[in-house]
Amino acid sequence: MRQLSGLLLLVLCLTGCQQAYYATMEKFGVEKREILVDRVKDARDAQVEGQQQFKDALDELSQLLKFHGGDLQQKYEALDAEYRQSVKAAERVSSRINKVESVADALFNEWRDELEQYQSASLKAQSKQKLVSTEKQFSQLLKKMRSAEKKMQPVLKIMHDNVLFLKHNLNAKAIGSIQTDFAGLQQDVSSLISEMNKAIADSNKFIAQMQSDS
């Protein structure tokens, strides 16, 4: 019960902080739609960077699997560093998607509330129609972002297993053991990049649409 109360308090605090932030930004002439566009750009950029990071980690593992002779410890440390950077990249993507969803919820709730302020039925209908179409487009975008986000975790789990196994078994036999998983990992990374490309393309469309409407 205490945990639930604490969680509720945290949610209320975060919600209050977000509302205060939006109110402050509006005082400086920055509306929620502008914040949403900026956050979609940030999420898109994080996915572009994430794509490259996952490619780099996969490439590092590939080099290690082909490595013969020399300092295996050095190659392991390079792989471990790439894995850790991949974890950070995934966290950054998730964080930015959460921020996109947060401001979108605030924008659409405000938009719905403001519909009731119209005296003109015609203008109200036009605004409502625009709200519905914008929400639909955003919903599709968010779905693709979340789909790409979900594909990061299986990749990270396999990377983590490989790095952890090599940590305590840094020899040719161990490298052979993880080689069997490499083809599957390649497919997972390829699928992840494909999903990210879809989200990135939709992000660009959404940004262009929002900017053309402003």
Side-chain angles (χ1 to χ4, degrees), residues 2 33 53 88 103 107 122 124 131 154 165 180:
R2 288 182 179 177
R33 62 183 298 110
Q53 180 53 51
K88 290 181 180 178
V103 70
L107 170 63
S122 174
K124 180 179 180 179
L131 168 61
F165 187 72
T180 56

Side-chain angles (χ1 to χ4, degrees), residues 45-211:
D45 294 347
Q47 289 185 87
V48 171
E49 293 165 4
Q51 283 183 323
Q52 188 58 53
Q53 180 53 51
F54 278 98
K55 287 179 184 177
D56 290 347
L58 185 67
D59 183 59
E60 195 63 52
L61 178 58
S62 176
Q63 290 181 37
L64 187 145
L65 294 177
K66 297 172 184 175
F67 196 66
H68 298 289
D71 190 355
L72 272 175
Q73 180 65 33
Q74 187 176 25
K75 294 299 293 181
Y76 161 77
E77 290 174 358
L79 175 61
D80 183 51
E82 291 294 348
Y83 163 70
R84 293 179 185 278
Q85 287 301 315
S86 297
V87 172
K88 290 181 180 178
E91 290 173 347
R92 187 158 51 247
V93 168
S94 293
S95 173
R96 291 187 179 179
I97 293 174
N98 289 340
K99 289 182 178 180
V100 165
E101 187 171 15
S102 174
V103 70
D105 286 343
L107 170 63
F108 295 138
N109 286 335
E110 179 183 71
W111 197 338
R112 277 189 291 272
D113 290 343
E114 289 177 344
L115 288 175
E116 302 308 315
Q117 298 178 23
Y118 280 97
Q119 300 299 313
S120 167
S122 174
L123 292 178
K124 180 179 180 179
Q126 289 179 55
S127 184
K128 185 177 181 179
Q129 183 179 23
K130 188 62 184 177
L131 168 61
V132 170
S133 65
T134 304
E135 278 190 297
K136 182 178 180 181
Q137 186 181 7
F138 176 77
S139 179
Q140 293 172 344
L141 168 60
L142 184 63
K143 184 177 180 180
K144 289 183 180 179
M145 283 184 171
R146 291 300 187 191
S147 177
E149 179 188 24
K150 287 179 181 178
K151 286 187 175 292
M152 293 189 295
Q153 294 310 312
V155 171
L156 289 174
K157 286 178 181 178
I158 295 173
M159 286 183 179
H160 177 261
D161 283 352
N162 290 340
V163 170
L164 189 61
F165 187 72
L166 289 171
K167 180 179 181 180
H168 301 291
N169 304 275
L170 201 55
N171 51 55
K173 184 178 179 180
I175 291 174
S177 295
I178 67 173
Q179 201 155 17
T180 56
D181 292 333
F182 186 69
L185 182 60
Q186 280 182 307
Q187 290 180 350
D188 288 344
V189 171
S190 178
S191 178
L192 167 61
I193 289 172
S194 176
E195 287 299 310
M196 283 185 165
N197 279 333
K198 293 176 185 176
I200 290 166
D202 268 29
S203 295
N204 288 331
K205 289 178 184 178
F206 184 80
I207 291 166
Q209 184 61 48
M210 292 291 282
Q211 290 179 332

Side-chain angles (χ1 to χ4, degrees), residues 8-20:
L8 180 59
L9 184 61
L10 177 60
V11 171
L12 289 173
C13 180
L14 291 175
T15 302
C17 290
Q18 285 291 331
Q19 293 302 325

